Amino acid sequence: MITKHNVLPAIIGIVVLVLGVAIGVLLVQRQQNNSAGAQAGTIPLQVEVSNVTDDSFVVSWVTSESTSGLLAYGETDKTEFVMRDKRDIFDQKLGQYTTHWIHVVGLKADTQYYFKIQSGGTSYSNGATPYNIRTAKKLTVNESVTAFGKVIRPN
């Protein structure tokens, strides 16, 4: 049976429920808009990994519009370190380029690394997972053997 004492809590409960659903919908829409907010001109294209050594690798890509570019990397998919474009190493600000080239250095030999490209303020992965690369095994240098002897001429 509904009494005056039961109506007020029920109305408050309905109001809280409606407000909660409305706020939840707004937050989901905001998140979707941020994800879809990447401009087509800043999307990384032609992503290449090259110059893989035992302690470094290079990631390059192009964008159709000039934009900033960073590379977040790490030994796990958490990608806790950030490397700038080579042209931005000594500057205090990020440059705007259409061709991006990032040389990741100081790595461990024979180690799996994961990375995400940050272009125009948006993070890009290789589908649902970060890109990954394994550095080369440690290069060993054999001792050189010096040839020595005497040159004999016919005269």
Side-chain angles (χ1 to χ4, degrees):
M1 172 195 283
I2 299 178
T3 65
K4 288 183 180 181
H5 297 289
N6 292 344
V7 173
L8 186 58
I11 291 174
I12 291 173
I14 291 171
V15 169
V16 168
L17 180 64
V18 169
L19 284 174
V21 170
I23 290 171
V25 168
L26 289 174
L27 290 175
V28 168
Q29 284 179 340
R30 176 187 278 179
Q31 181 64 31
Q32 287 174 345
N33 288 342
N34 287 345
S35 298
Q39 295 179 354
T42 64
I43 296 172
L45 305 169
Q46 301 173 24
V47 176
E48 297 286 336
V49 178
S50 61
N51 300 345
V52 179
T53 68
D54 61 342
D55 66 352
S56 68
F57 63 87
V58 171
V59 178
S60 59
W61 71 93
V62 297
T63 53
S64 58
E65 295 177 9
S66 292
T67 188
S68 61
L70 298 168
L71 196 78
Y73 70 97
E75 291 182 41
T76 68
D77 59 0
K78 301 292 183 231
T79 62
E80 62 266 337
F81 304 106
V82 175
M83 188 66 74
R84 294 175 143 200
D85 190 292
K86 283 291 269 189
R87 296 162 288 189
D88 296 335
I89 295 283
F90 300 109
D91 292 339
Q92 294 298 319
K93 62 181 180 127
L94 293 175
Q96 305 282 311
Y97 312 106
T98 57
T99 302
H100 306 270
W101 192 82
I102 298 181
H103 189 195
V104 182
V105 297
L107 305 176
K108 297 177 190 172
D110 196 23
T111 303
Q112 188 78 28
Y113 285 92
Y114 300 86
F115 66 90
K116 296 176 185 175
I117 295 171
Q118 295 178 0
S119 180
T122 302
S123 183
Y124 295 91
S125 296
N126 189 14
T129 60
Y131 294 93
N132 64 78
I133 183 71
R134 179 173 286 281
T135 52
K137 293 183 179 186
K138 183 73 176 163
L139 302 175
T140 57
V141 178
N142 294 332
E143 264 188 57
S144 61
V145 178
T146 305
F148 60 93
K150 190 190 279 187
V151 176
I152 303 175
R153 293 184 173 195
N155 288 341

